Amino acid sequence: MLRAVTSIVLVSGFLMGSQVGAQELSEDRVKELVAEALRENPKLVLEALQALEQRQAEAEAKAALSALSAERSTLEQDSNAPVLGNPDGDVTVVEFFDYNCPYCKQAAPEIDALLEADKSVRLVLREWPILSEGSAFAARAALASRVQGKYAEFHEALMTMRGRLEAETILRIAGETGLDVEKLQIDMKSPEVEEHIATSMRLAEALGFNGTPAFVIGDQLIPGFVERDQLTEAVAAARSRE
């Protein structure tokens, strides 16, 4: 913040009634002048904070777009990520989610409605368990269920389950979904499961996501819960750029 305030003060060109160049000031003298300027004009603090926040937001947005460009192939074509909807669709929606996230569960019907209405959408699911140990167990179980060809059914069962998911409940739901629970627990330890989760963590950090759900649609990064209409608009925008 000191640098931001100093920049505002020096850019104005006037300190203590005279124009001063930054190169002429020692660090201690700069601090003295900034302190005096702040006493005379406390609004400089707010201006400095706003300027700092704007610069940080711009830098983060630029970094996220750069990461999106660099990671697009992994985001959309990772062979180790589950795909629902139309596997050959012309627009890909990537969702980062956590089975214990209430907003993810709230978004699930909106996503289902999008897939039902638009048969040309691919949905790539990135298991991103960040909320609890139960979340991590659920993600590993869901990814392991692919070996038995039950991912879609198990994913839906976990998403529609009310209440917090823990290991015992997850395994019970797995059995009810028709999974071999003993085999599932063995497959949960596979390298493919660990790799998927590690990749989700890396991608989410690179894109600047800090919570679930989060979506990537075309060139848009969309954090948080979204309704079907917003998803539809984002898909249309992505399709128009094809």
Side-chain angles (χ1 to χ4, degrees):
M1 190 182 81
L2 174 62
R3 285 196 296 270
V5 174
T6 302
S7 297
I8 292 174
V9 172
L10 294 180
V11 167
S12 71
F14 292 94
L15 285 170
M16 299 175 65
S18 62
Q19 193 165 9
V20 181
Q23 69 278 8
E24 300 173 7
L25 301 174
S26 68
E27 183 177 351
D28 288 343
R29 184 56 178 152
V30 167
K31 291 179 180 179
E32 291 176 5
L33 294 171
V34 169
E36 183 171 343
L38 291 178
R39 284 195 297 271
E40 295 178 356
N41 188 0
K43 289 184 179 179
L44 283 174
V45 174
L46 178 59
E47 294 173 2
L49 288 173
Q50 291 173 336
L52 181 60
E53 289 174 356
Q54 182 176 350
R55 285 199 297 271
Q56 288 177 332
E58 290 172 353
E60 289 170 1
K62 184 177 180 180
L65 289 176
S66 177
L68 174 58
S69 177
E71 299 287 0
R72 187 175 295 281
S73 178
T74 302
L75 283 162
E76 297 185 352
Q77 304 299 332
D78 183 7
S79 61
N80 194 26
V83 176
L84 300 181
N86 183 350
D88 300 316
D90 63 338
V91 173
T92 297
V93 174
V94 182
E95 181 190 10
F96 290 74
F97 69 97
D98 183 308
Y99 286 112
N100 273 321
C101 166
Y103 298 106
C104 297
K105 293 187 175 185
Q106 187 180 353
E110 306 296 324
I111 297 167
D112 290 343
L114 171 69
L115 297 181
E116 180 63 29
D118 190 333
K119 301 299 184 180
S120 295
V121 171
R122 294 174 70 243
L123 175 64
V124 174
L125 292 168
R126 296 250 40 126
E127 303 269 355
W128 188 29
I130 57 175
L131 295 179
S132 68
E133 290 184 8
S135 299
F137 194 95
R140 290 186 171 87
L143 291 166
S145 73
R146 295 178 296 177
V147 177
Q148 299 182 50
K150 292 281 189 180
Y151 181 86
E153 298 95 318
F154 193 32
H155 171 77
E156 182 177 2
L158 292 175
M159 271 297 182
T160 55
M161 172 67 186
R162 298 306 172 193
R164 197 158 190 83
L165 287 166
E166 301 294 351
E168 183 178 353
T169 305
I170 294 162
L171 293 179
R172 175 179 59 77
I173 294 172
E176 293 172 352
T177 308
L179 285 157
D180 180 331
V181 175
E182 184 175 347
K183 176 173 174 49
L184 181 74
Q185 292 179 86
I186 294 172
D187 293 334
M188 286 171 65
K189 301 174 184 177
S190 73
E192 292 80 9
V193 167
E194 295 301 326
E195 189 277 334
H196 175 96
I197 293 173
T199 299
S200 293
M201 297 290 183
R202 178 180 64 78
L203 290 172
E205 181 179 3
L207 296 171
F209 292 145
N210 54 27
T212 55
F215 300 87
V216 180
I217 306 176
D219 293 330
Q220 295 189 51
L221 302 175
I222 308 173
F225 168 78
V226 288
E227 295 182 342
R228 172 189 164 183
D229 289 347
Q230 185 178 352
L231 291 170
T232 300
E233 290 173 4
V235 166
R239 186 169 284 139
S240 69
R241 290 192 291 270
E242 292 291 330

